Amino acid sequence: MTSSELWGRATAERYDAEEAASSSAAALRPTLDFLAELAGQGRALEFAIGTGRVGVPLRERGVPVVGIELSEHMAAVLRRKVDEDTLPVVIGDMATTVVPGRFALVYLVYNTITNLLTQDEQVECFRNAARHLEPGGRFVIELGVPPLRFLPPGQVAVPFDVSEAHLGFDTFDLVEQMLVSHHLTRDGEDGRYRRGSSRHRYAWPAELDLMARIAGLVPERRVADWDGTPFGQDSPKHVSVWRKPA
């Protein structure tokens, strides 16, 4: 068990509904194109596969996918969509859990590496990816760039969503390199809001490159999104690819 916060049954049951916009065929197409091209004819391993938002449609593309997931409740939702023989899932943490075989692709999307709350665990996640990769295989991470430029002196919070159904903002501990995501979500039609929060350890692109080097991986590509937009100083997120030397 790592320091990651464990997602419970209630969160798992509403996850797909809350992420419907990012789970549509149109929204996922660039992600699936990117990952399928890197996997080629090989197998893919998804760290923190969750309810299968990416893993299930990638498997439907013809890429054999295996998943690692810490939350049994999230994995149970995935299992309603696809059986174990079609998409095996191992319950465990992404920093230390080992599954059989080698993979052409290991991927970790949607800011999920920040669920590991220490730098040591994030380094171990890279090492675990390298452990599973075949020579020449790739490790892919999708991660937001910490929005600290939006913090004026004395302010500790940055909003990331202000809509009728949801209010979201992050608060930062700049010394410990931690953030807490706060959510107020309209729940039902009575106008009430449900409050939730989660802790994350944010990391910079250059920091991830050093983690990759420690794990024996070399940088191959960094873009601003799944469409391949060039990454620049104003990019709010990045998709980074590291390769295991042949």
Side-chain angles (χ1 to χ4, degrees):
M1 182 69 167
T2 71
S3 62
S4 297
E5 296 177 343
L6 190 61
W7 289 31
R9 185 187 305 276
T11 301
E13 291 295 334
R14 60 177 175 255
Y15 182 83
D16 284 348
E18 292 184 348
E19 297 296 333
S22 64
S23 303
S24 68
L28 282 176
R29 187 174 298 111
T31 305
L32 301 177
D33 289 346
F34 193 106
L35 296 175
E37 180 179 0
L38 288 180
Q41 299 302 309
R43 299 196 305 157
L45 172 62
E46 181 171 356
F47 285 175
I49 194 169
T51 65
R53 184 183 70 92
V54 174
V56 170
L58 186 61
R59 180 64 185 87
E60 292 170 351
R61 286 278 192 102
V63 178
V65 176
V66 177
I68 293 174
E69 173 54 44
L70 184 61
S71 169
E72 294 185 20
H73 300 295
M74 296 288 279
V77 175
L78 179 151
R79 192 54 64 222
R80 299 172 196 163
K81 306 171 185 177
V82 62
D83 61 53
E84 176 71 16
D85 289 338
T86 302
L87 201 166
V89 175
V90 176
I91 301 300
D93 70 85
M94 57 187 161
T96 63
T97 300
V98 177
V99 302
R102 293 292 178 266
F103 297 83
L105 173 67
V106 178
Y107 65 94
L108 179 54
V109 301
Y110 222 39
N111 301 321
T112 311
I113 193 171
T114 66
N115 290 358
L116 298 170
L117 300 181
T118 70
Q119 187 182 68
D120 286 343
E121 289 176 353
Q122 291 178 355
V123 169
E124 288 306 312
C125 180
F126 272 82
R127 285 179 167 152
N128 201 28
R131 183 181 298 124
H132 285 91
L133 286 172
E134 61 189 28
R138 276 85 166 216
F139 183 34
V140 177
I141 284 182
E142 175 190 24
L143 183 60
V145 177
L148 301 190
R149 294 170 64 187
F150 293 101
L151 283 175
Q155 182 172 313
V156 296
V158 173
F160 59 84
D161 185 30
V162 179
S163 61
E164 184 176 349
H166 178 253
L167 300 174
F169 61 94
D170 293 331
T171 54
F172 293 85
D173 181 334
L174 303 183
V175 174
E176 298 296 330
Q177 207 164 308
M178 297 288 294
L179 69 84
V180 178
S181 284
H182 304 266
H183 302 268
L184 292 171
T185 306
R186 180 165 290 176
D187 208 359
E189 298 184 1
D190 59 1
R192 295 185 180 183
Y193 283 82
R194 170 173 38 84
R195 181 176 180 177
S197 64
S198 58
R199 294 184 300 152
H200 305 268
R201 181 187 185 273
Y202 63 84
W204 301 93
E207 186 181 6
L208 298 185
D209 285 340
L210 184 55
M211 294 181 189
R213 180 183 297 182
I214 292 170
L217 305 176
V218 297
E220 183 173 271
R221 187 182 182 195
R222 174 166 290 131
V223 291
D225 52 38
W226 296 107
D227 289 311
T229 303
F231 180 74
Q233 64 179 2
D234 294 323
S235 299
K237 77 170 188 177
H238 61 97
V239 176
S240 295
V241 183
W242 300 272
R243 177 174 46 83
K244 183 174 183 176

